[in-house]
């Protein structure tokens, strides 16, 4: 039996692993596809969107949902570069302990071609396959088209009930308007991710981390809704109730600059990321030499952010050793363009949940180690006091 290294070197495709907590990608083989950077295909969601045939892109969205949920997954898709003539197969699985997710990318050989009927069948299969709640919404009729067994069970619909799951079953009254608004944003922005209140009379109301993505259909009016994490109850982790003088308008930037100056020379920038998961967005305020060209108060989608990883894995802090090996969208959209190669992030909670994230950034890779919590404890404490002042009304 040949050794693994020999088999690996002869594998006709790309072997890879993703360290899920760090969102770090490692490649084990060299493999190329004409007209496509296969490394970026795995790292950068924006690049994937441009490289893959539009009608196949939802299958890759599903694949990345399965990575985040640590579940085995597979998807066959086509590339724009060759007009879809040579489909590729992406397959992956969680390693023991679920910290590492491994897989391969290689050419796919499909008997009978890859026509629209095959594509439509795959879409329906993927909705039914997921073992977490998934349903699709028709924006034109504001109605649910399909729902899997997990969604039926969550919203108390019995197998012998007549008809389909309805909007009233999942989002009664004003909650339906919030869900539809998020679905329309998903169509405009390719994805929407954040927290929504859902529920019905039997189940009661509950909070869920929801990911919405365009899912095809006539005029791209169908949206897939995946309940990635359903919260049984709201865990309150409030700030200290000590009274502090409110931060006046215009004082935030100099206050953050004072904090950055208190950091060591290894820190090239400091950022406050204000989390608004209910609106599916974050607002960032950066100071220091790494963020001189960054727009003050710029808004980004919650999807693919540091905050999303912190909430998904319930992290006390997060380290990224090298943004150029990251698979998080925000690392490619925000940090890498500013020359940031590594960062340390620490969450801060208010009554409603995650309120803000402190981010210390460096232009060098692997700047921050496992001692970062202790090393920057004073900075974090001062940041918490600043947040309490910033939250209060003058």
């Amino acid at each position: 039996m040949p050794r693994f290294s020999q088999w690996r070197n002869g594998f006709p495709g790309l072997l890879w692993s993703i360290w899920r907590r760090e969102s770090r990608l490692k490649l084990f083989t060299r493999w190329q596809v004409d007209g496509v950077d296969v490394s970026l295909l795995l790292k950068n969601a924006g690049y994937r969107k441009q490289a893959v045939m539009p009608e196949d892109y939802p299958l890759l969205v599903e694949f990345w949902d399965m990575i985040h949920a640590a579940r085995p997954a597979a998807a066959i898709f086509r590339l724009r570069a060759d007009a879809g003539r040579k489909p590729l197969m992406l397959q992956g699985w969680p390693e023991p302990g679920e910290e590492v997710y491994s897989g391969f990318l290689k050419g796919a050989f499909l008997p009978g071609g890859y026509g629209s009927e095959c594509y439509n069948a795959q879409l329906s299969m993927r909705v039914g396959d997921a073992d977490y709640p998934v349903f699709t919404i028709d924006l034109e009729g504001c109605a649910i088209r399909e729902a899997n067994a997990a969604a039926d069970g969550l919203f108390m619909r019995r197998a012998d009930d007549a008809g389909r799951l309805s909007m009233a079953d999942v989002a009664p009254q004003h909650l339906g308007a919030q869900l539809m608004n998020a679905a329309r944003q998903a169509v405009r922005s390719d994805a929407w991710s954040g927290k929504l209140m859902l529920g019905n009379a039997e189940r009661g109301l509950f909070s869920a981390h929801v990911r919405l993505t365009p899912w095809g259909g006539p005029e791209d009016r169908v949206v897939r809704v995946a309940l990635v994490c359903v919260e049984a109850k709201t865990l309150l982790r409030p700030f200290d109730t000590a009274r502090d003088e409110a931060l006046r308008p215009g004082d935030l930037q100099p206050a953050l600059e004072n904090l950055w100056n208190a950091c060591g020379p290894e820190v090239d920038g400091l950022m406050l990321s204000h989390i608004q998961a209910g609106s599916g967005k974050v607002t960032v305020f950066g100071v220091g030499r790494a963020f001189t060209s960054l727009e003050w108060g710029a808004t980004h989608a919650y999807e693919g952010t540091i905050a999303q990883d912190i909430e998904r894995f319930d992290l006390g802090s997060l380290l990224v050793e090298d943004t150029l090996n990251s698979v998080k969208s925000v690392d490619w959209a925000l940090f890498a363009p500013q020359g940031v190669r590594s960062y340390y992030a620490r969450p801060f909670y208010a009554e409603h949940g995650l309120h803000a994230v402190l981010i210390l950034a460096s232009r060098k890779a692997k700047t921050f180690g496992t001692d970062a919590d202790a090393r920057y404890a004073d900075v974090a404490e001062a940041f918490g006091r600043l947040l309490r002042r910033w939250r209060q009304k003058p």
Side-chain angles (χ1 to χ4, degrees), residues 9-63:
N9 293 337
F11 184 78
L14 192 70
L15 294 173
W16 51 268
S17 287
I18 291 175
W19 276 254
R20 294 172 62 244
R21 285 180 180 264
E22 297 89 354
S23 294
R24 175 166 51 90
L25 172 72
K26 183 174 181 179
L27 304 179
F28 298 98
T29 56
R30 295 178 180 271
W31 189 65
Q32 295 181 343
V33 175
D34 290 341
V36 174
D37 185 325
V38 291
S39 171
L40 279 181
L41 195 66
L42 295 177
K43 293 179 184 177
N44 191 333
Y47 183 82
R48 278 196 297 276
K49 176 69 173 177
Q50 296 301 317
V52 174
M53 297 285 280
E55 58 268 36
D56 294 355
Y57 182 69
L59 299 173
L60 291 192
V61 172
E62 169 80 14
F63 189 91

Side-chain angles (χ1 to χ4, degrees), residues 351-362:
E351 295 84 356
H352 64 277
L354 183 60
H355 174 63
V357 178
L358 165 67
I359 302 164
L360 304 182
S362 172

Side-chain angles (χ1 to χ4, degrees), residues 142-199:
C142 296
I144 294 178
R145 290 183 51 168
E146 295 176 294
N148 66 1
D152 284 342
L154 176 65
F155 294 103
M156 302 294 188
R157 180 178 179 274
R158 299 187 304 273
D160 58 352
D161 282 349
R164 298 175 177 175
L165 202 65
S166 70
M167 287 291 290
D169 290 329
V170 305
Q173 300 176 12
H174 66 283
L175 299 181
Q178 295 176 6
L179 176 59
M180 292 303 297
N181 183 54
R184 294 184 185 100
Q185 289 186 49
V187 171
R188 291 194 295 268
S189 306
D190 295 330
W192 186 97
S193 184
K195 282 186 180 181
L196 288 176
M197 291 297 295
L198 300 170

Side-chain angles (χ1 to χ4, degrees), residues 64 69 105 137 143 176 231 263 275 336 371:
W64 256 260
L105 175 67
I137 296 176
E231 298 181 349
C263 299
I275 314 307
D371 64 342

Side-chain angles (χ1 to χ4, degrees), residues 55 85 182 238 296 368:
E55 58 268 36
R85 289 188 294 271
W296 182 259
F368 305 98

Side-chain angles (χ1 to χ4, degrees), residues 176-254:
Q178 295 176 6
L179 176 59
M180 292 303 297
N181 183 54
R184 294 184 185 100
Q185 289 186 49
V187 171
R188 291 194 295 268
S189 306
D190 295 330
W192 186 97
S193 184
K195 282 186 180 181
L196 288 176
M197 291 297 295
L198 300 170
N200 56 32
E202 292 182 275
R203 174 64 170 81
L205 299 182
F206 57 90
S207 176
H209 289 270
V210 185
R211 194 173 196 277
L212 296 93
T213 46
W215 201 241
E219 299 181 2
D220 292 325
R221 300 292 291 174
V222 177
V223 173
R224 175 183 181 272
V225 182
L227 277 60
V228 179
C229 178
V230 177
E231 298 181 349
K233 60 181 180 180
T234 302
L235 300 177
L236 301 178
R237 287 189 266 186
F239 287 117
D240 189 336
T241 56
R243 301 295 298 177
D244 297 294
E245 182 183 354
L247 201 66
R248 294 175 300 178
D251 283 354
L252 179 60
Q253 186 165 352

